[in-house]
Amino acid sequence: MADYPTISEQVDDLESSRTEGHRKMDWAREHMPILSAIQDEFEADKPFEGERIGMAMHVEAKTAVLVETLAEGGAEVAVTGCNPLSTHDDVSAALDEHPNISSYAKHGVDDEEYYAAIESVIAHEPTITVDDGMDLVAAIHEDYPELIDSIVGGAEETTTGVHRLRAMDADGELKYPVFAVNDTPMKRLFDNVHGTGESSLANIAMTTNLSWAGKDVVVAGYGDCGRGVAKKASGQNANVIVTEVEPRRALEAHMEGYDVMPMAEAAEIGDVFLTTTGNRDVITEEHFEKMQDGVLLANAGHFDIEIDLDQLSDLAVAEREAREGVREYEMDDGRRLNVLAEGRLVNLASPIALGHPVEVMDQSFGVQAACVRELVDNGEEYDAGVHDVPDELDVEIAEIKLDAEGVEYDDLTDEQAEYMDSWQHGT
């Protein structure tokens, strides 16, 4: 396995970097009551003594709170990034200072460095994996299958990773259990809708210093992430156009009042294009050729394959950095098409990349922490494959959040519970 240096061995001016990283983490922690409550439990019980947790995540302040929460539970944690541009080096350096944490994440790495860091995490021989995009799971299965028997299980954070895992499972190639954290309500209904919607639009606005009002915004894909983007863009007085390949989602977008049309038609109209599909080749040469001068192209899917940048570069007669985080491609007819964040996750890879709001990620990472605890407590009950998160874990996280917010809610009476559980009661 590769001997890739930890972040402490890479970062210049290490002490000031760590200080700034801790400052970011402290602010996030103040607004993460779920993980704070879980960390108190973990510190008291030390449920992860003897466990080695390997993680490939977006290494920034909110993720760092999750990493420390697991480490405070007694685990040895090795972590690296899941995107070359989403790591905050100061946060990575602060994490690496913890005696139970080794951080290999570094911003701006090339492909070779990216995968070398993943191999360094694997070198710790994890007993549990926590992934965002499935690169860590894939690398273990492809290159280090001898480690699989000692892995209790894993948890996957994002839509793209769950899709990959289900495909792997369908082929009979997934050899240990993995929880689909992305699919659980406390993640999907808040992180994907509100988190992606708010953070994507905010980062585009900060990167470009342009307004949403009156613009034609093309949202590719109307899953949970696309639904959130469309809702938030509409709330900022943009005209929203949705493109879809799934008829029921297309109908849902239509019934929500959005214009729905093929990308080939939307390409002629849009001012801003934001892809949220998790699939490849969503915007290609045929669309570039129809676009107006000055359009913005951004991606909120996990990988940088939704906008075909190779085709765009081949079409361009000139390229330049029009603004930090914005690459301008000039066509032979003078039109300029602008790509944000190199076509990577715009809310995490743009110059002012803060990711999802803190409160939203507290919920998602609370589910992650509960899943790791479930694997340690009951891992032998799960066969190899993709598993739904047990509903009681999801409910537990919601209860912690509501309590922290001071929100009270009703309970079913005994009679109501009996009625709901019975098939014998009719009208």
Side-chain angles (χ1 to χ4, degrees):
M1 298 183 189
D3 184 18
Y4 191 77
T6 66
I7 193 66
S8 295
E9 298 166 326
Q10 302 175 60
V11 176
D12 295 329
D13 198 12
L14 187 58
E15 193 55 44
S16 63
S17 183
R18 283 172 171 165
T19 299
E20 178 61 18
H22 283 300
R23 188 165 73 109
K24 290 180 178 179
M25 291 159 61
D26 289 344
W27 173 262
R29 190 178 289 105
E30 288 176 19
H31 300 276
M32 301 180 84
I34 297 171
L35 280 186
S36 294
I38 291 174
Q39 182 167 326
D40 289 344
E41 172 198 326
F42 286 176
E43 286 178 341
D45 297 342
K46 299 294 182 185
F48 307 140
E49 288 281 11
E51 301 293 341
R52 298 180 300 278
I53 301 176
M55 305 178 71
M57 307 282 283
H58 299 291
V59 178
E60 44 78 59
K62 300 178 291 292
T63 308
V65 177
L66 171 63
V67 176
E68 282 199 340
T69 297
L70 299 175
E72 291 300 325
E76 174 193 331
V77 183
V79 61
T80 189
C82 64
N83 183 297
L85 297 180
S86 65
T87 293
H88 290 208
D89 284 340
D90 49 4
V91 171
S92 186
L95 277 177
D96 200 53
E97 192 174 23
H98 192 289
N100 284 21
I101 299 170
S102 299
S103 180
Y104 300 92
K106 184 179 179 182
H107 180 85
V109 294
D110 59 25
D111 284 351
E112 182 178 352
E113 292 171 308
Y114 175 82
Y115 288 107
I118 286 178
E119 291 202 347
S120 290
V121 169
I122 296 172
H124 288 256
E125 298 187 357
T127 56
I128 294 171
T129 60
V130 179
D131 233 331
D132 190 315
M134 207 204 84
D135 280 349
L136 184 58
V137 173
I140 289 171
H141 280 74
E142 291 171 3
D143 300 323
Y144 303 100
E146 68 276 8
L147 299 180
I148 290 173
D149 286 345
S150 61
I151 295 177
V152 178
E156 169 57 50
E157 171 76 10
T158 198
T159 306
T160 297
V162 171
H163 284 168
R164 295 179 72 194
L165 283 167
R166 292 197 187 281
M168 189 178 183
D169 194 13
D171 288 343
E173 296 299 325
L174 182 57
K175 304 302 183 183
Y176 62 81
V178 181
F179 283 125
V181 172
N182 177 79
D183 293 356
T184 198
M186 281 298 287
K187 199 278 186 186
R188 178 173 49 83
L189 297 179
F190 302 98
D191 184 310
N192 292 357
V193 176
H194 296 284
T196 300
E198 292 180 20
S199 64
S200 297
L201 298 183
N203 276 280
I204 292 171
M206 288 188 292
T207 300
T208 63
N209 197 30
L210 299 176
S211 172
W212 291 104
K215 285 190 171 58
D216 291 311
V217 177
V218 178
V219 181
Y222 200 70
D224 292 315
C225 293
R227 186 180 300 110
V229 169
K231 178 179 180 179
K232 304 296 182 179
S234 179
Q236 296 191 58
N237 300 319
N239 306 309
V240 175
I241 299 165
V242 170
T243 71
E244 247 300 344
V245 297
E246 209 287 325
R248 292 161 296 184
R249 288 181 177 175
L251 181 58
E252 181 186 4
H254 170 70
M255 295 290 281
E256 287 293 329
Y258 304 123
D259 292 327
V260 179
M261 62 185 71
M263 182 62 76
E265 293 181 26
E268 301 177 4
I269 302 170
D271 299 306
V272 182
F273 295 79
L274 187 56
T275 57
T276 69
T277 72
N279 208 339
R280 63 176 305 122
D281 304 332
V282 177
I283 300 179
T284 62
E285 180 177 359
E286 68 165 311
H287 309 124
F288 300 138
E289 291 176 338
K290 298 178 179 180
M291 289 179 177
Q292 304 176 72
D293 179 36
V295 301
L296 305 178
L297 299 164
N299 169 49
H302 187 78
F303 294 116
D304 59 340
I305 57 173
E306 304 206 21
I307 303 168
D308 194 325
L309 297 182
D310 290 336
Q311 289 185 354
L312 182 56
S313 186
D314 289 342
L315 287 173
V317 296
E319 299 180 27
R320 72 182 183 104
E321 294 302 310
R323 182 179 172 88
E324 187 180 7
V326 181
R327 186 157 189 82
E328 177 189 277
Y329 294 78
E330 183 179 346
M331 303 294 102
D332 58 6
D333 58 4
R335 289 177 301 120
R336 294 157 299 176
L337 312 185
N338 300 289
V339 175
L340 277 63
E342 301 179 14
R344 298 186 183 276
L345 269 169
V346 71
N347 59 328
L348 282 157
S350 61
I352 313 173
L354 299 177
H356 290 358
V358 177
E359 301 94 333
V360 168
M361 292 313 302
D362 189 31
Q363 298 178 181
S364 298
F365 289 158
V367 178
Q368 288 275 24
C371 285
V372 173
R373 183 188 61 197
E374 174 69 9
L375 287 168
V376 171
D377 290 346
N378 302 303
E380 69 282 352
E381 297 180 8
Y382 298 93
D383 296 328
V386 180
H387 294 267
D388 291 335
V389 175
D391 195 56
E392 61 271 18
L393 299 186
D394 206 50
V395 171
E396 174 191 346
I397 301 307
E399 289 173 341
I400 295 172
K401 178 68 171 180
L402 289 169
D403 183 62
E405 295 286 326
V407 176
E408 297 183 1
Y409 57 99
D410 286 325
D411 293 319
L412 291 174
T413 65
D414 291 342
E415 291 78 9
Q416 287 174 323
E418 180 188 359
Y419 181 85
M420 295 298 291
D421 289 339
S422 174
W423 59 269
Q424 295 171 317
H425 294 294
T427 56

